[in-house]
Amino acid sequence: MTISLAVAGASGYAGGELLRLLLDHPGVRDGSIEIGALTANSNAGQRLGDSHPHLIPLADRVLEETTPEILAKHDVVFLGLPHGHSGEIAAQLSEDTLVVDLGADHRLADAADWEKYYGTEHAGTWPYGLPELPGQREILANTKKIAVPGCFPTGATLALMPGVARGLFSEQITVVSVTGSSGAGKAAKVPMLHAEVHGSAKAYGVAVHRHIPEITQNLGGLTDAQLKVSFTPVLAPMARGILTTAVIPTSHSAEEIRAAYAEAYATEPFVHVLPAGQQPMTANVLGSNCVQIGVEVDATAGTAIVTSAIDNLAKGTAGGAIQSMNIALGLEETAGLPLVGLAP
């Protein structure tokens, strides 16, 4: 039986990355998975190649309108839509359709947090598409609805998860994530113009960023401690990638913390804990679904410094979506997901 899938928001960065990875998926190559409708909003009626000329095998496909009727014809639907737009469409799709939402609509469990940070009515909570969280693979294997994590929460959660879960860190967590401009999406915005971004870096969303409750939700489920998470994103002059630095008070040694991380991630195909003295680089994971993590301790300050690097469009969005889809469909979890980056 052939599995048909549709991609809503195919003209955007997330949709383009999703299709790039899907084209190399063994199911697509052997015909057991078929790429069906590719939809868009303002770009409907145009060739996909007008938005993504690098997707040569699909370049002549015409983008259709994003409607429930078109999407409903498929077994799997990826929703690569702006925040606040997935809920209404998802509600009109069959319960038998595997719906993978790359937007934020279904990530948060607390409706009050959603309304505070997003300003609209909460669309409900779906199983969270971060397989590395304890017990999450079993949940994803038995669901038809998946909420893909935000790119910042992916990097921050994986950087902090073993230390928080094992009680190696204080409740006060400070996270700074440096990101490329593709995280803001493909729509034209003055702050994202090359002349605005090139040669400069700036913090934004300080103390009020929408991903604060998501990071807190992920880590809070690992401990009984009342965590206090401070998160600051920084826009850097690069197209893609996120480098996260977390600083947390600790009384444990670097060797002890690093050993805990190595044990926690020993069987994870995409998470790589680096040796002492080696730091993650975004270039090393570019185009891959991998995460690099570095662990050090400043004994003088009494703080652990944990760094992580991901590709925000791959593991941070599209790669994480395909990884979760693979689990939900009973496929090999790593299918179609690159383990090797593009450095230099």
Side-chain angles (χ1 to χ4, degrees):
M1 175 180 139
T2 300
I3 298 170
S4 64
L5 60 84
V7 176
S11 61
Y13 286 138
E17 184 71 357
L18 191 63
L19 291 169
R20 180 184 76 86
L21 296 172
L22 284 170
L23 283 169
D24 201 37
H25 194 289
V28 173
R29 293 202 309 267
D30 68 21
S32 59
I33 296 177
E34 178 185 33
I35 299 177
L38 307 179
T39 77
N41 185 14
S42 60
N43 292 315
Q46 299 179 11
R47 296 170 58 255
L48 179 68
D50 295 336
S51 299
H52 298 301
H54 64 295
L55 299 177
I56 295 172
L58 298 171
D60 289 332
R61 295 279 294 274
V62 176
L63 295 168
E64 301 181 65
E65 291 186 11
T66 301
T67 67
E69 292 74 23
I70 290 174
L71 299 176
K73 302 173 184 177
H74 302 81
D75 303 304
V76 180
V77 173
F78 290 97
L79 298 176
L81 305 175
H83 304 324
H85 290 73
S86 299
E88 182 178 354
I89 289 179
Q92 300 178 65
L93 298 177
S94 167
E95 289 297 316
D96 295 326
T97 303
L98 175 58
V99 185
V100 186
D101 185 6
L102 281 68
D105 293 34
H106 301 97
R107 295 172 187 162
L108 296 181
D110 190 322
D113 277 343
W114 171 268
E115 292 167 7
K116 174 181 177 181
Y117 284 89
Y118 291 89
T120 60
E121 185 177 352
H122 189 224
T125 307
W126 288 0
Y128 196 68
L130 189 63
E132 292 82 3
L133 280 171
Q136 207 63 21
R137 285 186 172 90
E138 291 77 9
I139 294 172
L140 293 172
N142 294 282
T143 186
K144 289 290 189 179
K145 301 292 181 283
I146 298 172
V148 179
C151 50
F152 286 129
T154 296
T157 301
L158 294 174
L160 290 160
M161 186 169 68
V164 170
R166 300 190 182 205
L168 300 175
F169 297 154
S170 157
E171 293 86 354
Q172 186 65 52
I173 298 173
T174 300
V175 179
V176 176
S177 293
V178 179
T179 184
S181 56
S182 62
K186 204 170 185 180
K189 306 177 185 74
V190 171
M192 298 295 112
L193 295 175
H194 178 72
E196 302 290 329
V197 174
H198 181 69
S200 181
K202 70 173 182 178
Y204 65 98
V206 177
V208 295
H209 196 276
R210 291 173 169 179
H211 284 148
I212 292 173
E214 189 178 343
I215 296 170
T216 303
Q217 173 179 287
N218 293 349
L219 299 175
L222 304 171
T223 177
D224 292 329
Q226 296 300 308
L227 300 179
K228 300 176 182 178
V229 178
S230 171
F231 172 65
T232 303
V234 176
L235 178 64
M238 57 185 186
R240 56 200 286 173
I242 293 177
L243 181 68
T244 293
T245 301
V247 180
I248 325 98
T250 187
S251 59
H252 299 273
S253 69
E255 292 75 19
E256 184 179 0
I257 298 173
R258 197 175 296 113
Y261 272 69
E263 181 182 351
Y265 288 134
T267 61
E268 291 296 343
F270 298 115
V271 184
H272 303 277
V273 181
L274 301 178
Q278 186 175 345
Q279 283 295 308
M281 294 174 58
T282 56
N284 294 344
V285 296
L286 192 68
S288 81
N289 201 54
C290 291
V291 185
Q292 286 190 339
I293 295 177
V295 179
E296 301 293 344
V297 168
D298 184 339
T300 302
T303 56
I305 301 97
V306 185
T307 50
S308 71
I310 65 170
D311 185 326
N312 60 297
L313 293 178
K315 178 59 174 169
T317 308
I322 293 173
Q323 185 180 351
S324 296
M325 176 201 75
N326 286 338
I327 295 172
L329 293 177
L331 306 176
E332 180 67 35
E333 183 175 334
T334 59
L337 299 171
L339 291 164
V340 179
L342 300 175

